[in-house]
Amino acid sequence: MNSEMKVNIAKLAQKYGRTVFQSAYRILNDTHLAEDVVQEVFLKLFKKPTESFDQISNWHGYLKSMTISTAIDQLRRHKRLAEEMINDELQQNAERAEQPLQQALIQADLAQFKNALVNMHPQDAEIFCLRHIEGYSYQEIAELVNMKSNAVGVCLHRTQQKLSKQLPESQFFGEEKHV
Amino acid sequence: MSSYQQDNVNESTLPNWLNSVQQNEASIEQEDEAQMRLMQAIELYEVEKVQSPKNSAGILAWLKNLSPTRQVSMAFSLAMAAVLTIGLTVSTSFVTPAFAQIQQTIMQASSMHYRGTMLNNGEASMEIVVYFQQPNKVRIETSPILAGSRQEAITTILDTQAGKGLTLISQAKIAMPLEFAANEKSGLPQEKFLNWVDTIINYEGDVTTLSAKNINDVFANGYEIYENGMTITLWVDSISQLPISLRVVSDSKNKQSSFEFYADLRFNDELNEDLFDLNAQEGYQLMLPEQDDES
């Protein structure tokens, strides 16, 4: 490791740090946990061989993939805690929000979603997030997770079916739909 | 078309969940704070133990050869500039990895340029401009400020390998060649300023890390050290690891008068060779050292 590597990592952080933070936040819905994830992602880069930096052509995707994977790990590590937090989050966010009911329903969706992610296979969860939250194409995902494009499609289909069964109707958008 | 429509996701439930997740964004303030702490974490990440500055080439090697003589001391300006240069580059303390890394980065610089203002009791008393080009060239310009008015500069140019220099007094249009030998350190004017040089060189205490901030669109990390009545604050570009701003403040409680110095610093710029020309410029009267001694 040398100062040049540090400079390179700092440049990457300046360029992608914010977008990576938002990706972590969308999954974790917690600024502190999201910060932990982002720092973990960038500090992991210090462990990489210097030569491997040149081999990464899509840093945006690479970092987002790492972030999502690390965020899901984070959720899994705190699975029990996450489950306990759901009700607390709902109550706290509802109290803070300008529109308490609406906000509480969105938070309910997010908490249930986190719970569902934890119960999925980590790679399935990662691929699902890359596709449906970050909007990457099958081909891009295939390159990022080192799979064939067809395999990504199969994985997504399987995951979506599981999720559709696991997740109850959206509290917020579900309610809107019926209005 | 959204991704879930393309993928035939069950639209009765899943898209709604996805909308909630996709809309979930941290605020700009939260993003700013996270970004700042990320840059700090990277900056503070422990690097390999850096080489001892004693073994480093570059600016340090130059400094070892930089020994102002009595002739140089006439030029008052050199002491001030050398003080600042030494203060920035010779510290051998291994205080924190981050700080040591900065020291090393400075010493590897090919050039340095800074422009600063000195204040006494809160009033600007002098402007100082210094250029240093590896391995052996330095130019120091000092402009006294009297009653708020900036006076003409006194410039000292040195070639430390050759042991030669030139002082230009622009107001009188006088050029004075200098010769100096290594390791002669006596006779420096303004010795009181050397106190804080020694402080930095021998500093082994804690380095306070300040909250990072933007300085002229550069994301900078701050470091502060304090000892012997002086607080020295450095702001360092988080990417280049080179200082961009310096502030030195004496503790007025322990001094008869308070002293403050602040400067903007630049490293690795390509400096014009003309800055280090040891030939007297056109219009200047050449005054040899003997003439000065006699007077």
Side-chain angles (χ1 to χ4, degrees), chain A residues 150-169:
Chain A
N150 288 345
V152 170
V154 171
C155 172
L156 278 170
H157 182 71
R158 183 177 65 233
T159 306
Q160 287 157 191
Q161 283 189 323
K162 280 185 189 172
L163 267 181
S164 296
K165 289 175 186 169
Q166 284 181 22
L167 294 174
E169 191 171 3

Side-chain angles (χ1 to χ4, degrees), chain A residues 78-177:
Chain A
H78 298 96
K79 181 179 177 183
R80 185 174 56 81
L81 185 61
E83 287 166 351
E84 290 173 0
M85 282 168 64
I86 289 176
N87 288 333
D88 292 343
E89 281 181 22
L90 293 179
Q91 187 175 350
Q92 288 168 12
N93 287 317
E95 287 168 0
R96 283 198 297 264
E98 290 178 7
Q99 298 172 286
L101 178 60
Q102 185 185 55
Q103 189 64 24
L105 295 175
I106 291 174
Q107 294 298 326
D109 281 357
L110 296 172
Q112 296 287 357
F113 182 77
K114 282 199 294 186
N115 200 34
L117 280 181
V118 168
N119 292 320
M120 291 161 62
H121 185 278
Q123 190 174 50
D124 291 351
E126 180 186 348
I127 290 172
F128 181 85
C129 291
L130 284 169
R131 176 66 179 154
H132 294 298
I133 298 175
E134 302 299 333
Y136 283 99
S137 69
Y138 281 24
Q139 186 57 39
E140 286 172 316
I141 295 168
E143 288 168 6
L144 290 170
V145 299
N146 199 24
M147 286 172 69
K148 289 187 176 174
S149 183
N150 288 345
V152 170
V154 171
C155 172
L156 278 170
H157 182 71
R158 183 177 65 233
T159 306
Q160 287 157 191
Q161 283 189 323
K162 280 185 189 172
L163 267 181
S164 296
K165 289 175 186 169
Q166 284 181 22
L167 294 174
E169 191 171 3
S170 165
Q171 298 289 311
F172 176 53
F173 288 98
E175 181 183 84
E176 244 188 0
K177 199 168 68 173

Side-chain angles (χ1 to χ4, degrees), chain B residues 129-140:
Chain B
V129 181
V130 172
Y131 301 87
F132 162 67
Q133 178 68 57
Q134 282 272 36
N136 60 321
K137 293 175 180 173
V138 64
R139 178 188 177 101
I140 306 122

Side-chain angles (χ1 to χ4, degrees), chain B:
Chain B
M1 184 183 287
S2 63
S3 61
Y4 49 80
Q5 286 170 316
Q6 289 172 343
D7 299 332
N8 296 318
V9 174
N10 183 343
E11 293 187 17
S12 65
T13 55
L14 198 49
N16 297 329
W17 289 98
L18 288 171
N19 282 333
S20 290
V21 177
Q22 287 163 349
Q23 286 184 10
N24 189 37
E25 286 211 339
S27 68
I28 296 294
E29 291 76 19
Q30 289 169 325
E31 190 181 290
D32 285 344
E33 287 174 12
Q35 180 69 7
M36 187 175 290
R37 283 191 278 268
L38 170 63
M39 298 307 294
Q40 283 179 332
I42 291 170
E43 199 278 328
L44 293 172
Y45 189 82
E46 188 167 349
V47 296
E48 286 178 348
K49 189 174 181 181
V50 296
Q51 284 184 329
S52 165
K54 288 176 183 172
N55 299 328
S56 299
I59 289 176
L60 182 63
W62 168 75
L63 284 167
K64 283 179 177 173
N65 293 323
L66 177 60
S67 298
T69 63
R70 281 175 294 182
Q71 291 102 315
V72 175
S73 72
M74 285 191 312
F76 169 70
S77 56
L78 178 62
M80 288 303 304
V83 157
L84 181 55
T85 306
I86 293 167
L88 277 170
T89 57
V90 186
S91 174
T92 55
S93 60
F94 191 70
V95 281
T96 65
F99 201 72
Q101 178 69 46
I102 292 161
Q103 291 173 327
Q104 188 184 42
T105 312
I106 293 169
M107 285 184 287
Q108 290 169 346
S110 61
S111 71
M112 177 171 65
H113 166 210
Y114 64 78
R115 180 180 295 273
T117 303
M118 187 166 62
L119 296 93
N120 281 310
N121 295 320
E123 290 196 7
S125 60
M126 183 170 293
E127 283 186 11
I128 302 170
V129 181
V130 172
Y131 301 87
F132 162 67
Q133 178 68 57
Q134 282 272 36
N136 60 321
K137 293 175 180 173
V138 64
R139 178 188 177 101
I140 306 122
E141 301 172 4
T142 58
S143 303
I145 298 173
L146 300 174
S149 175
R150 182 176 174 275
Q151 307 299 300
E152 296 217 40
I154 298 173
T155 301
T156 301
I157 304 166
L158 298 173
D159 181 335
T160 56
Q161 278 182 350
K164 292 184 176 178
L166 183 73
T167 297
L168 299 168
I169 303 174
S170 56
Q171 192 168 20
K173 296 293 180 193
I174 292 173
M176 296 185 294
L178 309 168
E179 290 188 2
F180 51 93
N183 302 320
E184 184 175 352
K185 296 182 178 177
S186 61
L188 281 172
Q190 306 298 317
E191 284 186 355
K192 64 177 180 178
F193 298 124
L194 289 176
N195 293 335
W196 57 267
V197 178
D198 288 338
T199 298
I200 297 173
I201 292 172
N202 299 310
Y203 186 75
E204 293 179 346
D206 294 331
V207 176
T208 302
T209 302
L210 308 176
S211 296
K213 66 176 182 180
N214 273 307
I215 299 176
N216 298 327
D217 293 330
V218 175
F219 190 81
N221 296 303
Y223 301 90
E224 189 171 281
I225 62 173
Y226 177 84
E227 200 166 72
N228 293 338
M230 287 182 297
T231 301
I232 300 170
T233 308
L234 269 181
W235 291 98
V236 178
D237 184 332
S238 62
I239 293 178
S240 70
Q241 293 294 297
L242 287 165
I244 56 173
S245 178
L246 167 82
R247 185 167 182 255
V248 180
V249 183
S250 71
D251 186 348
S252 58
K253 290 177 186 172
N254 301 324
K255 305 270 183 184
Q256 289 182 336
S257 61
S258 68
F259 165 79
E260 185 176 353
F261 179 81
Y262 57 86
D264 295 326
L265 305 104
R266 292 183 64 90
F267 290 83
N268 297 327
D269 283 351
E270 194 169 331
L271 303 178
N272 191 328
E273 273 292 310
D274 292 346
L275 290 168
F276 308 104
D277 188 353
L278 289 173
N279 298 309
Q281 295 174 16
E282 193 176 348
Y284 276 75
Q285 181 188 351
L286 193 63
M287 181 180 287
L288 298 175
E290 290 76 14
Q291 290 175 280
D292 181 73
D293 287 342
E294 286 171 6
S295 63

